[in-house]
Amino acid sequence: MIEIKDLHKSYKMGSNSLHVLKGINFKAEAGELVAIMGSSGSGKSTLLNILGMLDEADEGEYTLDGVPIKDLSETKAAQYRNKFLGFVFQSFNLINYKNAMENVALPLYYQKVSRKERQEKALSYLDKVGLKEWATHLPNELSGGQKQRVAIARAMAAEPKVLLADEPTGALDSKTSYEVMDLIQKINDEGNTILVVTHEEDIAHMCKRIVHLKDGVIVEDKKVEQVRASEYVQ
Ligand code: ADP
Ligand code: MG
């Protein structure tokens, strides 16, 4: 599903350059649930943004679902991004003046889905994350956990092949974090490929594999016995 070879990325700052990713090799099959760990500044977001086609590497190869992602036109890249990828961020990134349903429906608008179908689909995805009754509420009327569930519903409504989550529980307390991980595990149970950036050990162990980034390279990549988040939520 995802394959990267010898990926490099530097940020230029004036005459200096910061080499953040120094030859990353990584492969994830369809249906995997992978945690990407590493201390702050280790390049986790940089890697996820490149995988999410929000940023480009300086060197290396990236293949997503059999498609080489390189030198794509802006339009093509945007098409692939909409078709293949769903995003979830620490800060939810919901649109404040749109209600939960409208937020979930937004990516479908860009996929040119009709208005009626957008609403139906948005409602059904809100239902899946347990928030159907909250459809007409604005983000500021929702708790952090509810906002993140809306963001997950929004990402999934576009039916991406891969879900990329950058510290999805970073702004949440433990109990709420486990609720969000429970949802992520259920989505993965249905066969979706998911990458979760986190610096929390307990969250990482709710994935099936943990990849450790350090000083711009992967220093460890191991399969783990998955802890089910449902054991911690009632
Ligand atoms: P992480 O997500 O693991 O905390 P990041 O990928 O955000 O790490 O950042 C890795 C390093 O790259 C950090 O030192 C950060 O300051 C730097 N960095 C990230 N984005 C930029 C940017 N747009 N311009 C310059 N430096 C950046
Ligand atoms: Mg980060």
Side-chain angles (χ1 to χ4, degrees):
M1 179 59 71
I2 287 176
E3 186 166 10
I4 55 177
K5 281 187 191 157
D6 206 24
L7 203 79
H8 286 261
K9 175 74 181 178
S10 299
Y11 290 111
K12 298 188 182 26
M13 293 177 296
S15 55
N16 292 326
S17 164
L18 181 67
H19 199 175
V20 178
L21 302 179
K22 304 175 184 168
I24 304 275
N25 292 288
F26 172 78
K27 214 171 162 176
E29 306 295 343
E32 284 205 63
L33 174 52
V34 186
I36 299 172
M37 295 198 79
S39 53
S40 177
S42 60
K44 305 181 296 296
S45 295
T46 300
L47 176 60
L48 207 73
N49 288 345
I50 292 171
L51 292 174
M53 300 172 65
L54 298 169
D55 198 0
E56 273 181 77
D58 301 324
E59 268 177 60
E61 287 171 31
Y62 174 21
T63 314
L64 176 59
D65 199 32
V67 179
I69 305 299
K70 203 177 193 183
D71 304 324
L72 291 177
S73 67
E74 286 279 314
T75 330
K76 258 274 178 278
Q79 273 173 12
Y80 280 135
R81 204 183 301 125
N82 289 335
K83 197 167 119 188
F84 286 136
L85 302 159
F87 296 92
V88 176
F89 301 96
Q90 176 174 353
S91 51
F92 323 122
N93 293 12
L94 297 177
I95 296 175
N96 289 325
Y97 57 86
K98 289 191 183 286
N99 69 31
M101 187 189 67
E102 290 163 342
N103 267 284
V104 176
L106 198 63
L108 302 172
Y109 174 85
Y110 295 110
Q111 290 189 345
K112 300 193 167 54
V113 175
S114 76
R115 188 186 165 84
K116 186 163 175 288
E117 205 183 319
R118 286 203 301 271
Q119 291 202 344
E120 285 170 6
K121 227 173 171 182
L123 275 180
S124 101
Y125 275 88
L126 273 181
D127 195 20
K128 281 192 187 188
V129 303
L131 291 174
K132 202 175 184 178
E133 292 79 54
W134 294 83
T136 59
H137 287 256
L138 292 171
N140 67 14
E141 298 166 333
L142 304 175
S143 69
Q146 288 175 324
K147 281 184 215 174
Q148 197 58 298
R149 277 147 64 199
V150 171
I152 291 171
R154 176 182 57 185
M156 296 313 296
E159 293 170 15
K161 291 182 187 271
V162 179
L163 182 64
L164 302 172
D166 195 350
E167 310 219 19
T169 64
L172 306 173
D173 61 59
S174 297
K175 182 175 175 288
T176 313
S177 294
Y178 297 153
E179 285 168 11
V180 165
M181 284 310 292
D182 183 37
L183 183 56
I184 285 178
Q185 289 181 334
K186 284 174 177 152
I187 292 168
N188 175 248
D189 290 342
E190 290 175 12
N192 293 286
T193 313
I194 308 180
L195 270 54
V196 179
V197 165
T198 183
H199 55 248
E200 294 155 294
E201 279 290 342
D202 54 345
I203 297 300
H205 281 272
M206 290 175 174
C207 299
K208 296 171 174 168
R209 172 180 166 196
I210 303 179
V211 169
H212 265 272
L213 265 182
K214 195 181 174 195
D215 300 328
V217 292
I218 291 176
V219 290
E220 191 181 28
D221 186 342
K222 60 179 183 194
K223 285 210 157 41
V224 290
E225 186 78 40
Q226 188 183 38
V227 175
R228 293 301 298 201
S230 58
E231 290 171 23
Y232 295 89
V233 294
Q234 58 278 336

